């Protein structure tokens, strides 16, 4: 009886990187301006007939500094609703959750320790606060967003690998016309009692099950570099080809020192930015024939990535990293 | 393979009535003082060895007006954790969600209407905001509370009756030592597309599946009256006996006019307070042999109800309504 696919094809999974929507060094602080811009770009990409003028705001809650509810609700009754394409948003934690999780070591497990148990609760409070604010921001743009916590969805891991992750509720939400908004979360683990399930692991699972047309990672830098982007001479990697066995190589630009394996060059970056992990995760998605675009949130490049425009080919003036399957 | 019961018996399900923890006539406003008192009483009842001095605070998030995180976290590592009894909290909406739901008619269904779809999203934003604040309040009292939204849990209805409500994740959370905090929610409905699933329906379902020792409803009045409590001469109904077929009658006090059926007297109240509905819901729980206590939040009477003290018998000085099975 279990339905395994959405009734219309999933257009996209969008990852909102924590660094793109929160202020990195300020505990639990949203980068309001970026989040608003990202939400607006997402609306333009997936609700093609919408304009900022005909948006049906779906966050009717009080906003801080305002005591009254919106007055536009009475005008809603007869307004036609712009059809949205199907997509899913998954976000990271940024300055939400990381402090609580790292302070308590939730990812290492051990719920019988008071610090871990308290940290598990504290982490979930922090990441669900962020989730609520992202859902509200998307809703204000007229996107029918629905927050769904992996923990509540019943997702769990075994030794930090996803085991139980029933996506039937995600599918039902999409088929009812909603946009699920998931997030990295503290979850139960059958072997070590608890751990952290990252947004990237969630995306890989959803991509494998639902086969979206493409996946977009929005971050705070233009894409993947051959070394930390703050270092002089760092080169943006524009295109990575993934082979059937999951191995990958840089196609563009031609790196000067070809004797030096790219994997090594990028690995040097891993200690600071986890870029090899990021590419490896992306390569696993690309291996399925799903294009992955990594680019900077709130730019012309993210507009192009979200619109699906890049499926036809990567123009020279697009700045970002495209990771694609090459047979 | 599905586990159907918690590994230790569930002590209690607590309903936090919306009216008890929010300010009724002020949109989306929590009654902070009441919520704090209720949270403290819940800690005292279910974490018997805890005192306000040895609480392990589990909300490490910034609070409005405070920019810093708590400093106590470093002291946590070696502190023994007081064992909590198993219980579940379910809360209503109060001044959260009701406005959004009633304005859009979510309970009547019809997601293709823009107003209903927007109202569905707006209702969930509002009720999940309240859920987060209740989870935080309980966590500050050292209760390892975990917010779980019925929608995300995959619960849905058919013509407003609960059909799919897999409680396996609720059981896993309890067995891992957490306290699930659920709430009335907007959910999908297989026949009318969407509706509102009330906190009371959730409690009835959980009680039937998990057979707690008792259920406590905390409200803003002392209990069920024979007419609206603001009317002169309103009498608090102290004890209701439920028979095997689910029918019920008032045992205490002996109402003066015995020729007048109590059902009718109470029904007169129904238009304003839904008291017959409330008693009928409670009677369905009591029929299973589970005592139900309805009383005012934040009083000595709620302390007694939460502690399980009333299971031995209802003392004369306890003010509230006890609904119990009489064979």
């Amino acid at each position: 009886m279990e339905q395994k696919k959405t009734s219309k094809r999933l257009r996209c999974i969008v990852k909102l990187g924590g660094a793109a929507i929160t202020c990195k060094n300020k505990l639990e602080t949203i980068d309001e301006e970026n989040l608003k811009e990202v939400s607006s770009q997402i609306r333009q990409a997936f609700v093609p007939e919408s304009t900022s003028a005909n948006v049906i705001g779906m966050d009717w809650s009080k906003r801080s500094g305002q005591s009254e509810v919106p007055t536009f609700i009475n005008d809603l009754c007869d307004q036609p609703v712009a059809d949205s394409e199907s997509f899913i948003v998954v976000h990271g934690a940024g300055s939400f959750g990381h402090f609580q999780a790292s302070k308590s070591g939730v990812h290492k497990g051990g719920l019988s320790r008071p610090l871990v148990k308290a940290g598990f609760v504290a982490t979930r409070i922090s990441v669900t606060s962020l989730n609520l604010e992202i859902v509200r921001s998307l809703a204000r743009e007229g996107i029918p967003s629905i927050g769904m916590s992996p923990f509540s969805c019943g997702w769990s891991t075994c030794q930090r690998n996803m085991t139980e992750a029933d996506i039937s509720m995600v599918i039902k939400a999409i088929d009812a016309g909603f946009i699920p908004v998931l997030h990295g979360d503290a979850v139960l683990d059958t072997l070590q009692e608890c751990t952290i399930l990252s947004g990237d692991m969630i995306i890989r699972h959803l991509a494998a099950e639902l086969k979206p047309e493409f996946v977009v990672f929005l971050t705070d830098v233009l894409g993947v570099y051959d070394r930390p982007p703050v270092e002089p001479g760092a080169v943006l990697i524009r295109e990575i080809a993934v082979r059937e066995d999951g191995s990958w190589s840089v196609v563009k630009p031609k790196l000067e020192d070809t004797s030096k394996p790219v994997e090594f060059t990028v690995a040097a970056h891993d200690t600071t930015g986890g870029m090899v992990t990021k590419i490896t995760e992306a390569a696993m998605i690309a291996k399925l024939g799903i294009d992955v675009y990594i680019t900077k949130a709130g730019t012309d490049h993210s507009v192009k990535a979200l619109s699906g425009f890049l499926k036809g080919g990567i123009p020279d003036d697009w700045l970002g990293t495209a990771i694609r399957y090459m047979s």
Side-chain angles (χ1 to χ4, degrees), chain A:
Chain A
M1 281 297 287
E2 203 58 86
Q3 188 187 356
K4 287 270 173 62
K5 292 270 165 284
T6 50
S7 54
K8 53 178 180 173
R9 186 168 179 193
L10 188 67
R11 176 78 168 156
C12 181
I13 299 174
V14 182
K15 166 77 186 286
L16 294 186
I21 46 167
T22 70
C23 304
K24 244 190 252 191
N25 301 316
K26 279 177 85 175
L27 180 78
E28 296 190 339
T29 306
I30 287 169
D31 187 330
E32 299 282 357
E33 204 176 314
N34 270 8
L35 178 56
K36 189 172 169 18
E37 179 60 25
V38 166
S39 303
S40 168
Q41 286 194 358
I42 288 175
R43 171 182 57 74
Q44 290 164 54
F46 301 112
V47 195
E49 299 190 4
S50 73
T51 66
S52 58
N54 72 3
V55 155
I56 298 181
M58 299 189 182
D59 175 16
W60 301 355
S61 285
K62 269 198 327 195
R63 301 197 61 185
S64 53
Q66 292 175 9
S67 62
E68 287 311 310
V69 290
T71 50
F72 57 78
I73 296 165
N74 293 328
D75 309 329
L76 268 181
C77 301
D78 304 313
Q79 199 160 336
V81 66
D83 244 3
S84 162
E85 296 196 80
S86 299
F87 67 103
I88 297 174
V89 174
V90 180
H91 63 83
S95 60
F96 288 74
H98 274 169
F99 161 77
Q100 289 86 349
S102 62
K103 198 83 189 173
S104 57
V106 170
H107 60 289
K108 289 183 278 184
L111 276 177
S112 55
R113 295 180 54 217
L115 181 66
V116 176
K117 192 167 188 175
F120 189 99
V121 170
T123 302
R124 294 210 74 246
I125 287 172
S126 189
V127 293
T128 54
S129 305
L130 176 60
N131 182 254
L132 181 61
E133 290 310 315
I134 292 172
V135 165
R136 292 184 66 178
S137 176
L138 293 167
R140 285 196 288 271
E141 290 289 332
I143 295 164
S145 49
I146 294 282
M148 297 181 76
S149 276
F151 182 97
S152 308
C153 291
W155 293 12
S156 59
T157 57
C158 178
Q159 212 167 8
R160 301 162 82 165
N161 293 308
M162 272 180 105
T163 47
E164 277 190 62
D166 178 5
I167 59 164
S168 58
M169 198 55 209
V170 173
I171 292 173
K172 277 184 203 158
I174 291 171
D175 282 342
F178 294 112
I179 306 304
V181 183
L182 293 87
H183 58 87
D185 201 3
V187 296
L188 300 181
D189 185 287
T190 46
L191 213 74
Q192 63 176 43
E193 297 180 324
C194 69
T195 194
I196 297 292
L197 179 65
S198 73
D200 288 349
M201 285 171 75
I202 293 168
I203 288 181
R204 187 174 10 123
H205 179 69
L206 291 174
E209 294 278 329
L210 296 174
K211 304 272 182 347
E213 290 177 43
F214 56 97
V215 172
V216 178
F217 286 83
L218 299 177
T219 73
D220 62 339
V221 290
L222 278 170
V224 179
Y225 288 79
D226 67 340
R227 72 204 79 170
V230 289
E231 280 184 21
V235 174
L236 177 66
I237 296 172
R238 309 286 289 271
E239 214 171 324
I240 289 172
V242 178
R243 288 174 291 271
E244 205 171 352
D245 62 359
S247 66
W248 51 269
S249 52
V250 173
V251 174
K252 202 176 146 190
K254 301 278 175 229
L255 297 175
E256 278 168 26
D257 183 358
T258 47
S259 65
K260 205 163 136 196
V262 173
E263 278 77 1
F264 179 80
T265 320
V266 181
H269 186 187
D270 203 45
T271 46
T272 55
M275 273 308 173
V276 162
T277 313
K278 198 148 214 81
I279 295 178
T280 307
E281 287 273 355
M284 280 191 273
I285 298 169
K287 210 178 75 166
L288 305 167
I290 301 163
D291 284 7
V292 178
Y293 311 119
I294 305 177
T295 192
K296 187 168 179 172
T299 61
D300 287 349
H301 312 296
S302 57
V303 170
K304 284 209 177 80
L306 291 166
S307 70
F309 174 81
L310 304 176
K311 296 233 0 153
I314 312 293
D316 281 341
D317 64 352
W318 184 74
L319 296 181
T321 305
I323 297 154
R324 307 199 287 177
Y325 178 69
M326 304 263 161
S327 56

